[in-house]
Amino acid sequence: MRKRNVVIAAVAVFAVGGGVAYAAWSSTGAGSGSVGSTTSVNSVISPVNGAGGLYPGATVSFQVTITNPNPYAVAVTSISAGASALTADGCSEGTVTSPAVSDQGTILAGQSGTYTLQATMSADAADNCKSQTFSLPLTAALVSAA
């Protein structure tokens, strides 16, 4: 009986060992991957606070926030100059101006940045410019900050 167990064990070892000795089949694959780019979403400039204290010839600071709704960081390369429109009370167009600024840093994806700008009332502003709120249209130039 012992001899029979040895023969069965030897056959089993040979069968297992023999299976390991065979080479595996190999193959290769070919094809392509596919990716797509996103699109940019325009940012929004919003006033943070309305600075007061303007009078003919005066300059005040005011703040705006620029939001970055994109899934990537953007660099604020510039914020345009702004000039006031004609007011309902007849204060002349361009009575209040804001100069352009450049190189304003980076806004992370989905975040906002706050910027301090300057506004100046012209020295010859008329009386109908008293107690007015002036809106200065601004445009920010943004580029992806890769």
Side-chain angles (χ1 to χ4, degrees):
M1 179 95 109
R2 190 163 197 239
K3 192 174 196 183
R4 183 174 178 206
N5 287 342
V6 170
V7 170
I8 292 173
V11 170
V13 168
F14 176 74
V16 172
V20 172
Y22 287 110
W25 288 7
S26 63
S27 68
T28 61
S32 63
S34 178
V35 297
S37 63
T38 187
T39 187
S40 62
V41 179
N42 288 334
S43 296
V44 175
I45 300 175
S46 305
V48 172
N49 59 23
L54 276 174
Y55 54 87
T59 298
V60 296
S61 296
F62 68 101
Q63 292 183 318
V64 296
T65 296
I66 300 175
T67 59
N68 175 17
N70 293 292
Y72 51 85
V74 294
V76 181
T77 59
S78 67
I79 300 173
S80 70
S84 62
L86 176 68
T87 67
D89 288 342
C91 184
S92 298
E93 176 181 347
T95 297
V96 178
T97 58
S98 174
V101 295
S102 59
D103 299 325
Q104 295 297 299
T106 300
I107 305 172
L108 298 177
Q111 301 292 313
S112 298
T114 300
Y115 302 92
T116 301
L117 306 173
Q118 302 297 309
T120 301
M121 180 176 270
S122 67
D124 61 352
D127 277 350
N128 56 350
C129 296
K130 293 177 183 176
S131 300
Q132 296 293 309
T133 298
F134 300 93
S135 178
L136 304 173
L138 302 170
T139 302
L142 311 168
V143 296
S144 60

